[in-house]
Amino acid sequence: MSRPRMKTSAMIASIAAEGQRTVSAPFGHTLVRLAADRPEIVGMTADLGKYTDLHVFSAVYPDRFYQMGMAEQLLFGAAAGMAREGFMPFATTYAVFASRRAYDFIYMAIAEDQLNVKIVCALPGLTTGYGPSHQATEDLAIFRGVPNLTIVDPCDALEIEQATEAITEHAGPVYMRLLRGNVPLVLDEYSYKFELGKAKLIRDGSDVVFISSGLMTMRTLEAAEFLKADHIDAGVLHVSTIKPLDEVALLAEIRKPGRLIVIVENHNLIGGLGEAVMASSMRNGVMGRIRHIGLPDAFLDAGALPTLHDRYGISTNCLVSQVKAWL
Amino acid sequence: MALNPCQPLSGDGLTEMARVNRLDAARMFMSAGNGHFGSCYSCTEIITALYFSIMRIDAANPDWPDRDRFIMGKGHAAPTLYSALIRRGFMPEEWMDQYEKAVGVRLMTHPSRRYQPGVDVSQGSLGHGLSIGVGMALAGKLDWRNYNVYVLMGDGETNEGSVWEAAASASKFGLRNLVGIIDSNGLCVDGNLADVMPMEPMAAKWQAFGWDVSRLDGHDLPALLSALAPDRESTTGKPRMIIADTIKGKGVSFMENVRSWHADSISAEQYSRLVAELEERVA
Amino acid sequence: MPHTQRSNLVPEISELRRRATNIREFALRMGAVQGQGYIGQALGIADVLAVAYFGSMRYRSQEPKWEGRDRFLLSIGHYAIALYGALIEANFIPHEELETYGSDNSRLPMSGMAHYTPGMEITGGSLGHGLPIAVGMCLGLKRKKSNAFVYTLLSDGELNEGATWEAALSGAHWKLNNLIAIVDVNNQQADGPSSQILGFEPLMDKWRAFGWWVERVDGNEIESVFAAFEKARELEVPQPRIIICDTLMGKGVSFLEKREKLHFIRVEQHEWNEALNALRAEVTV
């Protein structure tokens, strides 16, 4: 008798739940499609092509793929150089390495002159059990401070496809958080259409409104269904562009009376979506009953991802019980 | 033979310990369901030579101020280190079966000083180890202590600019107590290192940066012992770099030089074959 | 005079010397405007810049973004005062603008900024960026099948930065024979002599080990500098090129040459005119 081959890997953890519909490597495949009509697109990586779905692109366009070796500062410096020569580099690595190791190069070599580099990074927030060296818990806090930089945090496979296309049409540097491998497909059921710079009310609710981004929107949508069974009417405002923030849409929802607002993010409580929204709200004198769920300001544990998501309160179950406790 | 030796081993004893190390690592991977087999097996002899012959350490006293330090620059090969620490008596054997099992266990993917007695430095982000080693070696000189600092890096890791910053620094400060080892297995995540970002001529680079360089077969234990032998009386003042030519996945026929074994999951059937191969070596 | 054709343009060495003197003069005058500036470095590198702009590179000063141009990357942003001297001499910038150096709304900020100044390819300030960016540009130029070269001026201090060595590895790996790096070795950094901060010798061995073609010259000996630049450009090896130039800070003004060597050489208010006079006097000798 043989035991079934075990699949869980702390590193390559799939966000997908059992039986969830998924799409394989949506970023890589979309880039291949876009590259057919855009000869200026090139792919670059720092020895993480395989783990950022760029290997899909490099297999089809080997002469448009630049392997820069394990050297992130070089990666982004060279991406700046290529952009100056008229190309549109998609430069990939893990979110931790872009935000920490190569920050100065992204800030000065790319953003300062608004170069057309697309920084696409896997393992955003807490999406690996590898420990703090690989968990980009503060990437948004770091990148929000960069002027000229557009920041996108897509929810699922559909949004990754749409967002990748949208950022090629945007002239200027972009930082996009990436889910890779087998990525869940959820937003097709809501006829979702990504628009750069726009938050979208995916479902409305009279008791609670979740304000969420990235993969947390998958969770808030699930949570809304669970809450519905308990006669709690929950809505979801999906904020996939973190910078520039769609303040108009956000303030409109916060302004509506009588609802609990719960901001949920796959990021440190410090410096991410939550603080951005709350600051905007205060600046504009719009008060609401606002709560915030995110990762603690701590070096997170290593271990299995589902356990970690529970431990740090960002699993669907945690969202549901937390909301009930607040209501 | 005793599995928790305190006297330095040599010859057959070391070879046996390397075999045990590979079996331990596989046991941990089985427990987790996957692991960096290739990366662990290429540096098994290096770690074995260091922990069972070369390094002056005391399991009863993991923070002994005069101990030799070890930095696992290539943090993802942690199980190789864990096995050595366990067999030297720093940690209990039972921890092996908890490897990566759940949040809060002692042994996880990357070494952590917080949770693991005997680990000098937490690692995980490649390219940090040598810089930290420079700092520790400097401290040793400032404190007039006689310890050595050993830093094990991957060859891909030496793409990182921070490694060369440390290289220049070690030379400038004359850190003879710093010994770097490069596990040169020729493979990294995206392919052969030669295609991704070649490092040859490696020895010439380190020499130009002011290091004393030697190159050897990283699975040749007597050669490793000779190259790693402490050189506390030397007056050259140069840091030492040992380039160890290794085979990723060494010791298990179906893993040797196979790129996908950088990190992969293992089936029960593969595990049995692995164990059988390693146990066969005793004869 | 636009330098679009190189073939008939083998310059007289005396012509190059004249250009270098003009660059030095412009730099001193800019320093006088603000009462400060990285004048030691500017005086030291003037000969290299004269050779680059008047004996090597192809460009159109009235069309600074001409696609066919050779690109000159000033990795060392604080050497802007020196580069401005060359750009003024080469007619990228009108002489009159010299007076605006370092002032508000000026096109000549004290640290090189790409979008401020015609002929300034990248924004400096944070050291160690030039070579990585140059690698990317060279890759891009090869994609476009361009014949243009990328020249990058680095300081010896920048060789401390790991990113420089990442770029070095990369340049060799990609056989970027359109990349010419120049290192100004004046042995001075913010915290002291470079050799004491992080001893970088043996320099040539390092670059050779990293796969580059290397030449080392006295950076204030115009004939040698010119010969090295020619070789770097003509050489048909599938390697990036680097010219290591040993320079003397303050070169051309003997009282500054002799001044205590500091990263930021102090010049008193009244000394700017003295320096200009000394420069002109030393030239006629």
Side-chain angles (χ1 to χ4, degrees):
Chain A
M1 88 123 227
S2 60
R3 276 191 290 173
R5 188 185 172 97
M6 287 171 268
K7 283 202 189 67
T8 320
S9 159
M11 174 60 105
I12 314 176
S14 173
I15 304 299
E18 276 293 317
Q20 195 170 20
R21 287 176 306 138
T22 61
V23 174
S24 167
F27 167 66
H29 289 295
T30 305
L31 195 63
V32 167
R33 178 171 57 79
L34 296 169
D37 299 319
R38 285 182 176 273
E40 69 273 22
I41 287 179
V42 293
M44 306 176 80
T45 189
D47 194 30
L48 282 175
K50 183 173 162 193
Y51 292 132
T52 55
D53 289 344
L54 199 63
H55 61 301
V56 173
F57 176 86
S58 66
V60 178
Y61 292 110
D63 67 318
R64 289 164 72 171
F65 170 69
Y66 293 91
Q67 173 60 261
M68 306 310 285
M70 197 196 305
E72 294 74 19
Q73 297 186 333
L74 168 69
L75 172 66
F76 292 108
M82 289 211 81
R84 284 194 180 277
E85 293 301 337
F87 293 94
M88 187 191 302
F90 276 75
T92 76
T93 177
Y94 285 154
V96 282
F97 303 136
S99 57
R100 298 172 191 165
R101 299 185 97 98
Y103 181 66
D104 188 41
F105 287 73
I106 290 171
Y107 191 98
M108 285 307 301
I110 294 175
E112 197 265 339
D113 219 357
Q114 304 194 73
L115 299 179
N116 205 15
V117 176
K118 316 301 174 187
I119 302 161
V120 179
C121 294
L123 300 189
L126 181 58
T127 44
T128 172
Y130 252 22
S133 60
H134 289 66
Q135 293 155 341
T137 48
E138 79 294 6
D139 60 334
L140 298 180
I142 291 169
F143 283 127
R144 280 181 60 226
V146 181
N148 302 331
L149 187 65
T150 299
I151 300 174
V152 179
D153 188 8
C155 167
D156 75 337
L158 180 72
E159 189 162 40
I160 288 172
E161 278 169 38
Q162 295 175 349
T164 303
E165 180 152 10
I167 67 178
T168 60
E169 272 143 36
H170 169 79
V174 178
Y175 170 68
M176 186 167 92
R177 287 175 137 202
L178 178 71
L179 302 172
R180 50 90 190 270
N182 292 320
V183 182
L185 178 61
V186 161
L187 293 182
D188 58 331
E189 286 172 3
Y190 298 89
S191 311
Y192 179 82
K193 186 85 188 60
F194 173 80
E195 268 183 83
L196 195 61
K198 296 269 179 262
K200 301 274 176 162
L201 191 67
I202 298 182
R203 61 186 277 164
D204 208 344
S206 51
D207 298 319
V208 183
V209 161
F210 287 109
I211 297 178
S212 57
S213 70
L215 76 94
M216 295 317 298
T217 294
M218 280 192 254
R219 300 270 163 86
T220 54
L221 287 169
E222 280 170 10
E225 279 301 308
F226 281 119
L227 290 166
K228 184 165 147 185
D230 281 321
H231 310 291
I232 297 169
D233 190 31
V236 173
L237 179 68
H238 176 50
V239 185
S240 49
T241 305
I242 308 292
K243 182 173 186 178
L245 201 61
D246 186 354
E247 293 188 84
V248 169
L250 282 157
L251 295 172
E253 291 308 318
I254 295 171
R255 237 179 224 122
K256 290 181 191 153
R259 305 186 303 178
L260 177 70
I261 312 280
V262 181
I263 308 171
V264 183
E265 58 183 319
N266 171 28
H267 187 271
N268 193 320
L269 290 169
I270 295 174
L273 175 68
E275 285 193 345
V277 170
M278 289 189 270
S280 169
S281 163
M282 293 228 65
R283 240 185 287 120
N284 289 283
V286 173
M287 303 308 288
R289 222 165 101 225
I290 300 181
R291 297 279 188 270
H292 186 195
I293 293 175
L295 301 168
D297 180 32
F299 289 91
L300 304 186
D301 289 338
L305 210 52
T307 315
L308 293 173
H309 279 205
D310 257 331
R311 168 169 292 204
Y312 296 116
I314 59 170
S315 63
T316 305
N317 289 339
C318 287
L319 298 186
V320 171
S321 33
Q322 189 58 254
V323 165
K324 284 183 184 166
W326 280 326
L327 280 171
Chain B
M1 61 148 281
L3 281 178
N4 296 338
C6 296
Q7 292 303 312
L9 298 178
S10 60
D12 288 345
L14 268 183
T15 308
E16 169 59 12
M17 194 48 76
R19 194 185 66 83
V20 165
N21 191 295
R22 287 191 167 90
L23 283 165
D24 285 348
R27 179 173 154 190
M28 283 183 253
F29 295 143
M30 241 351 236
S31 155
N34 68 87
H36 290 92
F37 288 89
S39 314
C40 283
Y41 287 168
S42 58
C43 62
T44 303
E45 277 77 16
I46 294 166
I47 298 265
T48 304
L50 284 168
Y51 274 86
F52 295 95
S53 180
I54 300 288
M55 283 172 64
R56 227 173 26 183
I57 46 181
D58 179 359
N61 208 347
D63 292 325
W64 174 36
D66 287 309
R67 73 190 185 282
D68 286 329
R69 278 92 164 126
F70 176 75
I71 298 174
M72 190 78 172
K74 48 177 288 183
H76 52 289
T80 304
L81 176 62
Y82 296 154
S83 163
L85 287 170
I86 285 169
R87 298 299 175 191
R88 272 301 301 254
F90 283 86
M91 307 190 290
E93 189 176 334
E94 305 82 73
W95 287 9
M96 262 195 255
D97 298 311
Q98 297 167 15
Y99 172 73
E100 281 196 0
K101 259 277 188 286
V103 176
V105 296
R106 296 291 210 137
L107 303 186
M108 63 285 275
T109 317
H110 294 110
S112 167
R113 182 171 167 69
R114 252 198 288 174
Y115 300 114
Q116 297 147 10
V119 168
D120 285 311
V121 175
S122 303
Q123 282 292 281
S125 196
L126 302 178
H128 290 203
L130 197 62
S131 298
I132 299 173
V134 163
M136 286 181 150
L138 273 170
K141 289 185 87 171
L142 274 170
D143 282 349
W144 290 93
R145 290 193 190 278
N146 232 347
Y147 59 75
N148 279 343
V149 181
Y150 299 89
V151 181
L152 175 63
M153 296 183 278
D155 47 0
E157 185 174 0
T158 63
N159 288 173
E160 284 289 355
S162 52
V163 169
W164 298 98
E165 291 177 357
S169 176
S171 164
K172 175 216 160 147
F173 287 114
L175 299 177
R176 189 64 183 172
N177 53 347
L178 180 61
V179 180
I181 307 124
I182 296 176
D183 175 358
S184 182
N185 60 33
L187 294 174
C188 52
V189 169
D190 275 349
N192 296 325
L193 189 61
D195 300 322
V196 169
M197 187 51 65
M199 292 308 298
E200 298 295 353
M202 236 193 271
K205 290 182 170 73
W206 287 94
Q207 274 155 357
F209 271 73
W211 289 56
D212 270 340
V213 186
S214 55
R215 190 155 193 164
L216 42 67
D217 172 351
H219 301 294
D220 179 343
L221 281 162
L224 281 165
L225 290 183
S226 175
L228 289 165
D231 192 6
R232 304 184 210 274
E233 313 309 323
S234 161
T235 49
T236 76
K238 288 185 177 186
R240 285 185 288 160
M241 179 53 68
I242 294 156
I243 301 172
D245 289 302
T246 60
I247 294 175
K248 204 158 187 172
K250 173 81 173 175
V252 179
S253 62
F254 60 90
M255 289 182 174
E256 288 189 8
N257 266 329
V258 179
R259 182 154 69 94
S260 54
W261 283 110
H262 169 80
D264 210 342
S265 44
I266 186 170
S267 70
E269 184 263 328
Q270 284 170 318
Y271 180 66
S272 309
R273 274 170 52 203
L274 179 155
V275 169
E277 270 193 40
L278 287 172
E279 285 186 342
E280 204 176 297
R281 303 258 161 91
V282 190
Chain C
M1 168 174 69
H3 290 251
T4 52
Q5 303 307 322
R6 287 194 72 254
S7 46
N8 301 323
L9 212 65
V10 178
E12 294 282 347
I13 294 299
S14 57
E15 168 70 10
L16 292 174
R17 285 197 220 285
R18 193 179 67 76
R19 299 289 195 175
T21 302
N22 289 347
I23 292 170
R24 288 187 164 94
E25 178 168 335
F26 292 139
L28 281 168
R29 283 168 55 192
M30 279 183 267
V33 166
Q34 286 298 331
Q36 57 164 316
Y38 288 93
I39 196 64
Q41 286 88 336
L43 293 170
I45 205 65
D47 299 308
V48 169
L49 288 173
V51 170
Y53 277 84
F54 301 99
S56 192
M57 285 167 55
R58 218 176 21 181
Y59 54 84
R60 287 181 191 158
S61 50
Q62 298 313 301
E63 206 188 320
K65 296 223 184 285
W66 170 49
E67 178 56 34
R69 74 193 186 283
D70 290 326
R71 284 91 166 122
F72 187 91
L73 269 51
L74 187 69
S75 187
I76 12 179
H78 58 289
Y79 277 51
I81 187 175
L83 186 62
Y84 297 152
L87 293 173
I88 290 171
E89 181 64 12
N91 292 316
F92 280 83
I93 300 165
H95 284 57
E96 307 78 64
E97 260 183 79
L98 189 152
E99 304 296 322
T100 70
Y101 171 71
S103 308
D104 291 340
N105 304 316
S106 166
R107 291 203 301 173
L108 307 182
M110 288 182 73
S111 185
M113 308 274 280
H115 44 279
Y116 279 51
T117 318
M120 184 68 72
E121 299 277 359
I122 60 171
T123 295
S126 190
L127 302 177
H129 288 207
L131 205 61
I133 296 174
V135 164
M137 280 184 158
C138 286
L139 287 170
L141 287 167
K142 282 195 178 289
R143 275 208 82 76
K144 293 190 284 188
K145 310 227 188 307
S146 165
N147 290 326
F149 279 79
V150 178
Y151 293 65
T152 309
L153 180 62
L154 312 169
S155 68
D156 46 12
E158 280 186 287
L159 304 182
N160 294 175
E161 283 288 349
T164 301
W165 298 101
E166 292 180 359
L169 276 172
S170 190
H173 174 58
W174 290 103
K175 302 187 183 7
L176 298 179
N177 57 355
N178 52 349
L179 176 53
I180 299 177
I182 306 132
V183 185
D184 178 16
V185 179
N186 58 27
N187 200 24
Q188 285 300 319
Q189 285 179 232
D191 278 347
S194 303
S195 49
Q196 287 173 23
I197 301 294
L198 198 68
F200 47 74
E201 298 292 354
L203 260 183
M204 291 183 80
D205 287 349
K206 286 184 168 77
W207 287 95
R208 274 198 200 105
F210 274 71
W212 288 55
W213 174 86
V214 195
E215 181 115 329
R216 188 163 190 163
V217 294
D218 175 345
N220 295 121
E221 246 291 308
I222 275 196
E223 284 111 324
S224 314
V225 175
F226 178 67
F229 270 72
E230 279 245 299
K231 243 198 259 173
R233 208 170 156 114
E234 308 297 332
L235 206 61
E236 281 176 17
V237 293
Q239 289 172 283
R241 299 98 207 275
I242 183 161
I243 304 167
I244 301 172
C245 299
D246 292 291
T247 64
L248 181 64
M249 282 178 84
K251 179 74 181 177
V253 178
S254 42
F255 73 84
L256 289 178
E257 287 177 24
K258 293 182 183 106
R259 182 148 295 179
E260 186 196 345
K261 288 285 168 284
L262 291 170
H263 177 65
F264 198 86
I265 284 186
R266 180 160 192 74
V267 180
E268 301 301 330
Q269 201 48 44
H270 62 281
E271 287 181 313
W272 293 101
N273 271 333
E274 283 178 28
L276 280 160
N277 291 334
L279 177 70
R280 290 182 196 122
E282 281 159 44
V283 166
T284 51
V285 160

